[in-house]
Amino acid sequence: MINSGEEQINDLKNLSKKELVIRAKKFAKKYYVGDGKKFRLKDYSTQPKMTLGPEDKPLVKEALEQGVQALATLQDILYAQDNYSLLVIFQAMDAAGKDGGIKHVMSGINPQGCQVSSFKAPSAEELDHDFLWRCFKRLPERGRIGIFNRSYYEEVLIVKVHEAILKNQKLPPKLITKNIWKQRYEDIRNFEQYLHRNGTVVIKIFLHVSKDEQKQRFIDRIDDPSKNWKFSTGDVKERAYWDQYQEAFEEMIKNTSTKDSPWYVIPADNKSYARIGIASAIISALERMDLEYPQVSAEKVAELQEVKKVLLEMK
């Protein structure tokens, strides 16, 4: 059974929607960074704050299902209200669980109200624009949730770790200075503040996986024929830069996490637990919007009643 500790999955069982939202906010707060000025990655574990065994899987599954249902309800109101939008950005090392997290957590969402975009190496067209351009054009419309699987943050991650990439981005040479990373952090903060001021709430989720767990997941992908397609030898080559990536993630979060557009650092060594953390962070963001279904005027209500009367009289 789950050991007593800071958290209990049982606490998320059989709750009303209102109670679940309150619990989700409390759950997400444990991994909320907010102002990142004092952030240190070593202060965040890759392991959940509880012990989970095979016998706990049904409880974990039930907790996630409840979270997905609550998320679906909030998304429905967001879509109906059509004022705000939510952008959720996922960043992580390879095999940390981004794809699976998005698939499971967003499984109950109305497809009309959710847009998922994945960003890989930029195309020739994208390199002919600024580094935010390809993401800017995929921002969610009002009333919708946008999911970015990787994002413009790759420009301060893989491009920072492999600076040779930067030299192939067609920037004027005189603009590539020692201050370029500081400038890009500033550009990102300003961009996200701009979005916030225009009704797009931005949250960023870093799935924090350990090097040992990543290794095991790579081996599992090789051993399971149905997962072979997920494996890339390039992913293994990137493990040689593990320490550089960890440093880049820390600097990224330290320089771009704000109260309005926070990072959540979620332990990802246990996939099921990470998915509950993801759902909790998204629920918390939606709850902060004070969402409600649009109210109709008294005249409109009266009109609807007249229409109902006509319908009831019809054969």
Side-chain angles (χ1 to χ4, degrees), residues 96-216:
K98 297 185 300 300
D99 293 347
I102 293 169
K103 175 182 176 181
H104 285 81
V105 173
M106 309 308 290
S107 61
I109 295 297
N110 183 341
Q112 292 185 97
C114 184
Q115 304 157 343
V116 180
S117 301
S118 295
F119 296 95
K120 300 185 183 298
S123 66
E125 179 189 19
E126 289 166 346
L127 287 173
D128 276 335
H129 293 81
D130 63 90
F131 77 89
L132 290 170
W133 178 78
R134 65 174 181 161
C135 294
F136 192 92
K137 65 179 185 175
R138 296 195 190 182
L139 291 171
E141 303 167 36
R142 297 193 190 282
R144 290 166 172 77
I145 297 175
I147 306 292
F148 281 3
N149 186 346
R150 301 190 188 276
S151 67
Y152 44 83
Y153 279 104
E154 293 296 290
E155 295 295 326
V156 292
L157 289 171
I158 188 170
V159 179
K160 187 176 183 182
V161 171
H162 299 285
E163 291 199 31
I165 297 175
L166 185 64
K167 297 177 181 178
N168 294 323
Q169 291 191 334
K170 301 185 179 180
L171 284 168
K174 68 178 182 179
L175 296 182
I176 303 177
T177 70
K178 64 179 182 180
N179 293 320
I180 191 166
W181 307 118
K182 180 180 178 180
Q183 291 167 350
R184 287 195 168 182
Y185 294 139
E186 182 181 3
D187 291 338
I188 289 171
R189 288 195 305 270
N190 290 339
F191 176 60
E192 291 177 349
Q193 185 63 28
Y194 163 80
L195 294 178
H196 180 80
R197 288 171 176 168
N198 284 273
T200 297
V201 174
V202 183
I203 64 169
K204 292 98 67 166
I205 294 174
F206 172 55
L207 295 178
H208 191 21
V209 70
S210 67
K211 193 174 185 180
D212 287 343
E213 179 63 22
Q214 187 202 53
K215 177 181 177 180
Q216 185 57 52

